[in-house]
Every structure is written in structure tokens, then in C-alpha cells.
Amino acid sequence: MYNIRKYSILALSLINFSAFAQKAKPLFDGKTLTGWKAVAGAAPYKVEDGMIVGTMTKGTPNSFLITEKEYGNFVLELDVKLEGETTNSGIQTRSHLKPEGNDGKGLVFGRQVEIDPTPRAWTGGIYDEARRLWLYPLALNPLAKPLYKKNEFNHYKIECIGNETKTWVNGVPVAYVIDTLDQSGFIGLQVHGIGNNLENDGKKVYFKNINIQTGNLKASVFPKGVYTVNFTPNSLSAYEKSEGYQLLFDGKSNAGWVGAYKAAFPAKGWKIDNGLISVEPSGGAESTNGGDIVTKEEFAAFDMSFEFRLTPGANSGVKYFVTLSEKNTGSAIGLEYQVLDDVLHPDAKLGRDGNRTLASLYDLMTAKKEARYLRPIGSWNNGRVVVYPNNKVEHYLNGVKVLEYQRGSADFKHLVAISKYKDWKNFGEAAKGHILLQDHGNKVDFRTIKLKKL
């Protein structure tokens, strides 16, 4: 009886140990770089005091230490310390190497969790290295910006399960991305190139306590109110549905839309196919083919995002607070998030101080954007308009806030008074209005138009 009990206890202990072992295992043995290899740049990596230490080095591009094994679903946890406050680093997930890239040095590409001690403070955000660039800048979750502790070890948790990537910094949720690219790939540690910031030459980045769980995975629940970037076309995740989002375009039909000043959807000028709702080209004239289309429903305070794809030289726009009360000819009147090829379309040079460029509040306020946050013409870009109940409005482009203003304020009224809208009484101040997609005679595609009422 004693022996049976003794071996039963031993068996249970082994089961419990096995279950614990399945939860997480070291990805770094603390002594050697076995299972890892250095690629791309020439910054050195070595083991010191149970840590992987990378040294920033002048004259070399981004350098990576990557796992020899690829991983699909996993939860990765590690501690990272970065010397300096003008430096940068990152953790690659499900990433890949193009050996011939970067002039034969090798090019690493894939999703990266950002380590950012600079005043921008985007630590925990998600960047698509050498591909789509920023996916989740912390402009989308500004409450997470103070989490990073400078020149100290910070704890990172990265969860990749199915199409979902979630990040935590020092135990607090930061970013949530749903992406259809890359179901598996290597994990990598980055030493960022220093460019002309020679004061960073020799600074170090330290990685320790690197553990990964690949079995018995269960998705962690994010708290309410964290913005989600979902790259699955015309789709809402369970989390987004619980947050109150609705699709304004179902990806298949014109349900919920009609022509501006019309009782039905336009018979020509618009095409719905392959998950896209597209303006057909007709020579570049404003609202002379199918005309604008508007939502049947009107909205007051809301958080709306949409994906758009421009053709070379194209012009369009997404308008909001469109009341259709003006009965004007041409495009219906409303506040407009400009959708434009800034390089090839002449409208970018008109207006005042660039207030007709991409993501601007058309003819009123210029979007302050950097070229590195843009995706090329022919690629999908993400626009977002947030209208708060207090009438504060924000425009975003690819997750970066590019302008904000207060509807009805003295500053807003001044902008209207010196714009093309000066003759419209109380322009842009309606309590609610339709959402509009503009027909400007150029081929432009839209998809994943979603909105949450605030």
C-alpha cells in the first residue's frame, strides 16, 4: 500500500512537472548562443552574466540574433534593458530572412514588438520590419506610453495565437493586432542601426529570462477599451463586436448605402466585387458618373476606420456629418478626410499650406504626417476619424494621429471663414450626419469600413 501510494505521488509529481514544463521553457540557456544565429547587420552579440548582450555599432544596418527554429503559436516572455534614451530595439515574431536582401547582407522582415526609450514612447507597439512599417503605433493606445522604464529591465509578454498578436509591457496590455500574414517564423532580437547618431556607438541592449510556451495555449483576455487593428478584410473579431463596432460595408453588397441625393444606390460608377467597394474611373471629374454614396444611417459621436487603396494620381474622400440639406450640385457637403495621391494630383498643391493633402481636413486643416508612415500608392492604407461627444475630432493615418480640432470652436469657425465653405451657415456643426464616400472620377478602392458609436 505504501509503495503504491509512493509511486502514485511520484507519478502525479511527474505529471505536474510535465504540465509545468509545457507552460514555458527557456529559449536561451543562459550560457551559450546555441539555437541562435546572427544575421543581417554586423553588430556583435555575446553572452555575459546569463544575458544576451548586443552592442550598437556604427556603420552597420539593423542587426538581428534569430532562432534557428521557427515558431507558430506561442507565448514569449523576456526582460530587456536598453542603454540610452535615443536608441531603439525590438523583438521579431514569426519573421523571415531574405538572404539576398540588403545588398547580400540579408534582410529580416516581419512583425516586431517595439522597444522605444525616446520621447515618442511607442514601446510595446507593433512594427512590420522592412515591409508594411507601423501596424500599431502607440498613438492608438496612448495610456500605455508611460509603461517603459528607461535604463532598467522591462518585462515583455508577446502572445501569438492564430492571427492574433497581443503585447504587454511590465504586466500591462499594450497592443492588439489581428493579421493574416505569417502563421510561423523565427523569433529575433534586434540591435538597431545607429545611423548618424554616433553617440550611441558602443551602447548595449540586454536580453534575459527568455522563455517560450508553445503548448496548452489559451488566449489572454484584453481589458475593454483597447483599440484593435484588424487586417482581416471586412471582418470584426469577437473583441471588436463586444466593443460595439459595426461594419458599414459587408464586403458583398450595397446594403446600408444609397446615392447622395438619391433614393437608391447608383446604377453605375461604383463596383462591388471581391470584397471591395470601388469608385470607377471616369476622367477625374467630381460626382459626374455614379456620384457620391452615403450611409442610410446618420451618426453623431463615433470612432470610424476604413482601408483605402489609391491608383496613381487618384482623388477621393471620406466625409462625415453630411446632412444632405444643402441640395447642392457636385459632391455633397461635409467635413472631409482627404484621400489623395499627394505626389501626382494637383489638388495637393492647392488650398492653403497643404490643407488638401492626404488625411487633411479638406480645405481647413493640414495633416502633419511623415513620409515613413505612408504606404505606397497601390497599397492599402488605413484612415480613421474619431469624433468625441464633446466635439473634439481626430484624424489618423496608418495608426498615427495627424490632426485634431474642436468642432464649433472659435478656431474652427475661423478656419471655415477663410475656406471654400464660408458661405455654408454653421458648416460642419450638425448634431449628426451621414458618412460619405466620394466619387471624384478616379479609381479608388475601399474596404473594412467599421464604426463604433461613442
Side-chain angles (χ1 to χ4, degrees):
M1 187 66 156
Y2 172 78
N3 286 339
I4 292 175
R5 184 179 178 189
K6 180 175 71 173
Y7 289 117
S8 295
I9 292 171
L10 178 60
L12 286 171
S13 298
L14 289 173
I15 290 170
N16 288 335
F17 177 80
S18 176
F20 175 80
Q22 287 179 10
K23 285 184 179 179
K25 59 183 180 180
L27 200 55
F28 162 55
D29 64 15
K31 302 174 182 178
T32 70
L33 295 180
T34 301
W36 297 81
K37 61 181 179 180
V39 298
Y45 292 86
K46 61 181 179 178
V47 178
E48 292 181 356
D49 300 323
M51 299 178 289
I52 295 175
V53 182
T55 303
M56 300 171 210
T57 305
K58 64 182 178 181
T60 182
N62 294 347
S63 304
F64 299 87
L65 187 70
I66 67 173
T67 58
E68 294 176 345
K69 181 180 177 181
E70 293 198 347
Y71 295 87
N73 294 335
F74 62 85
V75 177
L76 177 71
E77 297 196 50
L78 70 163
D79 298 314
V80 183
K81 182 173 75 171
L82 188 60
E83 291 183 344
E85 297 182 9
T86 61
T87 50
N88 189 276
S89 185
I91 305 157
Q92 296 295 137
T93 65
R94 291 184 181 174
S95 294
H96 310 280
L97 176 68
K98 187 177 181 181
E100 69 275 16
N102 201 16
D103 296 324
K105 298 182 180 69
L107 181 69
V108 168
F109 64 95
R111 287 185 294 273
Q112 177 191 111
V113 178
E114 181 80 353
I115 303 167
D116 180 14
T118 71
R120 184 182 65 175
W122 284 359
T123 291
I126 299 176
Y127 182 78
D128 196 9
E129 176 80 12
R131 193 165 51 183
R132 294 167 295 176
L133 309 183
W134 277 103
L135 306 181
Y136 199 108
L138 257 61
L140 297 175
N141 187 5
L143 293 178
K145 294 177 72 171
L147 296 174
Y148 180 83
K149 297 178 291 186
K150 295 180 181 180
N151 296 300
E152 297 182 37
F153 275 101
N154 291 266
H155 185 74
Y156 296 82
K157 176 182 173 183
I158 305 165
E159 180 181 282
C160 292
I161 300 177
N163 288 338
E164 299 193 351
T165 299
K166 299 173 184 173
T167 69
W168 291 256
V169 174
N170 296 322
V172 181
V174 177
Y176 191 169
V177 168
I178 303 171
D179 196 1
T180 57
L181 295 184
D182 303 324
Q183 295 303 302
S184 65
F186 58 70
I187 290 166
L189 311 177
Q190 184 195 51
V191 171
H192 202 283
I194 65 172
N196 294 322
N197 297 322
L198 298 183
E199 73 277 6
N200 291 327
D201 187 32
K203 285 190 167 62
K204 300 181 185 301
V205 54
Y206 304 85
F207 303 91
K208 69 177 183 178
N209 301 327
I210 308 171
N211 295 293
I212 192 166
Q213 179 184 352
T214 56
N216 298 329
L217 297 177
K218 183 178 180 181
S220 302
V221 177
F222 252 34
K224 294 183 71 64
V226 177
Y227 187 81
T228 305
V229 173
N230 187 349
F231 290 104
T232 311
N234 306 313
S235 174
L236 294 175
S237 66
Y239 180 84
E240 289 173 297
K241 290 177 182 176
S242 73
E243 287 285 285
Y245 283 94
Q246 64 186 94
L247 287 175
L248 298 186
F249 168 56
D250 62 14
K252 300 174 288 187
S253 72
N254 59 31
W257 296 84
V258 295
Y261 299 126
K262 296 175 183 176
F265 195 83
K268 64 174 185 175
W270 289 86
K271 182 179 180 181
I272 296 174
D273 184 49
N274 198 30
L276 311 180
I277 184 166
S278 307
V279 189
E280 294 280 78
S282 58
E286 182 180 285
S287 296
T288 57
N289 192 18
D292 302 339
I293 58 173
V294 296
T295 56
K296 293 179 180 178
E297 189 174 354
E298 294 182 87
F299 303 97
F302 57 84
D303 185 340
M304 175 185 64
S305 61
F306 53 94
E307 286 189 279
F308 62 92
R309 183 170 63 186
L310 288 158
T311 52
N315 184 354
S316 183
V318 177
K319 299 185 182 183
Y320 50 104
F321 290 103
V322 176
T323 65
L324 302 177
S325 61
E326 295 85 1
K327 303 298 180 185
N328 64 301
T329 58
S331 186
I333 298 298
L335 297 164
E336 180 177 354
Y337 181 111
Q338 172 75 312
V339 175
L340 190 78
D341 180 344
D342 286 349
V343 175
L344 296 181
H345 198 285
D347 210 16
K349 309 297 189 296
L350 302 177
R352 188 182 64 261
D353 300 327
N355 65 5
R356 295 187 179 186
T357 56
L358 176 63
S360 293
L361 178 63
Y362 182 76
D363 210 53
L364 296 171
M365 183 176 291
T366 306
K368 303 298 184 184
K369 56 186 186 289
E370 297 181 40
R372 60 183 173 148
Y373 301 143
L374 303 179
R375 297 175 191 148
I377 299 300
S379 302
W380 287 101
N381 284 265
N382 186 275
R384 182 183 177 208
V385 177
V386 185
V387 180
Y388 295 93
N390 66 357
N391 283 322
K392 177 184 174 183
V393 183
E394 299 170 336
H395 283 195
Y396 292 75
L397 178 63
N398 296 325
V400 180
K401 185 164 68 173
V402 293
L403 67 81
E404 65 178 55
Y405 66 98
Q406 190 82 25
R407 286 199 313 141
S409 67
D411 288 342
F412 176 79
K413 290 178 183 292
H414 171 71
L415 291 173
V416 172
I418 58 175
S419 75
K420 64 180 286 185
Y421 302 113
K422 62 183 183 298
D423 295 329
W424 301 105
K425 186 178 180 181
N426 298 323
F427 170 78
E429 298 183 44
K432 61 180 180 178
H434 305 274
I435 306 297
L436 176 148
L437 303 183
Q438 187 184 46
D439 167 21
H440 212 296
N442 302 128
K443 177 75 161 63
V444 179
D445 301 317
F446 295 94
R447 70 180 184 188
T448 316
I449 308 168
K450 63 184 178 183
L451 181 145
K452 171 184 179 179
K453 297 176 183 176
L454 301 181

